[in-house]
Amino acid sequence: MTGKNQTPEAAGPVADAVTGNWVDRLAPPRTRPYLRLARADRPIGTWLLLLPCWWGLLLGMLHDGRAGWHDLWIFAGCGIGAWLMRGAGCTWNDITDRHIDGSVARTAQRPIPSGQVSVKQALAWLVAQALVALCILLTFNMAAIALGVLALLPVAIYPFAKRFTWWPQIFLGLAFNWGALLAWTAHTGRLEWPAVVLYLAGIAWTLFYDTIYAHQDKEDDALIGVKSTARLFGARTPKWLSMFLILSVILQSLAVILAAVGGSSPALLVALLGPWAMGWHMQWQMRNLALDDNDRLLMLFRSNRDAGLLPLPFFAVALLL
């Protein structure tokens, strides 16, 4: 199943795909357009969606002092679900942005604007991914299921945000960090303030990394009238990034304190090292920032996988104290 203009064999890699990724090397040619729609050739987005889930799960365990076999499934289910829902969200994004993507050099080779996949085929692929993700969601408790369904709202809105606001990155943050709420609730059975504060910390982090990412497209976006924080901030971007960095560290630290209150002091102190380690990595990104170097911008954006991983070992060790 391919579009009218290109066969999968003729379609090359998308511009910002990871060089030598498994989709381009190993996937059967007929599956490649669909895997590219799901961004399987660019795994960073799955990581950025997944990491807040794991933060929420570990802090939920730290909060109530419980750990069970079902938590292993929550951990794994979040991983599978993040891959599927990131794929479904990106497919929806490409459907709504198909006319814009064709006008931007970095996205012109995506499957829909390049003719590899029709809109109907993309919609069918979206539904298939979402249905499998729903099957995973249904293994969680009712409160988490309700949150999972509600998550569809920011996912649906995000692709349109850049048409009506200079702050589309906020809508991306609302969608990408929902897992902090869901995983906490999947473990504890209820949504509580530490998860909400952690969610806000994730939104600040998204504003940080996606502003860096958006600087790659600022010239094309200006030509076609697409809004972004990169265009809004311009040369003042480093000052804004510093504010997002500080806000993210403070909010995540507050979430840790709220989650660990009543527990041991060593556990709290170790867990607090997590946000500060992440903040150190974000500061490293700031020192290496070059707003007109697209290769550098993409490298820094991708490095946020490592930034988001840094709190996890500290949270895990805190559970043992």
Side-chain angles (χ1 to χ4, degrees), residues 255-286:
V256 168
I257 293 169
L258 292 173
V261 66
S264 70
S265 296
L268 173 59
L269 292 174
V270 169
L272 280 173
L273 292 175
W276 291 96
M278 182 171 164
W280 168 83
H281 191 287
M282 294 166 74
Q283 183 59 41
W284 171 83
Q285 294 180 55
M286 291 289 300

Side-chain angles (χ1 to χ4, degrees), residues 198-285:
L198 185 65
Y199 178 55
L200 296 176
I203 293 173
W205 180 43
T206 301
L207 282 163
F208 178 88
Y209 66 66
D210 205 60
T211 296
I212 292 174
Y213 185 78
H215 267 278
Q216 297 176 91
D217 297 332
K218 56 183 179 288
E219 293 181 1
D220 287 333
D221 287 349
L223 289 173
I224 60 180
V226 169
K227 299 177 174 67
S228 72
T229 50
R231 289 188 60 207
L232 177 65
F233 302 155
R236 298 172 297 148
T237 291
K239 293 182 179 179
W240 281 95
L241 292 180
S242 295
M243 287 190 285
F244 297 145
L245 186 164
I246 293 168
L247 188 60
S248 181
V249 171
I250 289 174
L251 288 172
Q252 192 177 100
S253 298
L254 179 58
V256 168
I257 293 169
L258 292 173
V261 66
S264 70
S265 296
L268 173 59
L269 292 174
V270 169
L272 280 173
L273 292 175
W276 291 96
M278 182 171 164
W280 168 83
H281 191 287
M282 294 166 74
Q283 183 59 41
W284 171 83
Q285 294 180 55

Side-chain angles (χ1 to χ4, degrees), residues 97 118 138 162 196 218 276 286:
D97 281 359
S118 70
L138 292 176
K162 56 183 168 288
V196 175
K218 56 183 179 288
W276 291 96
M286 291 289 300

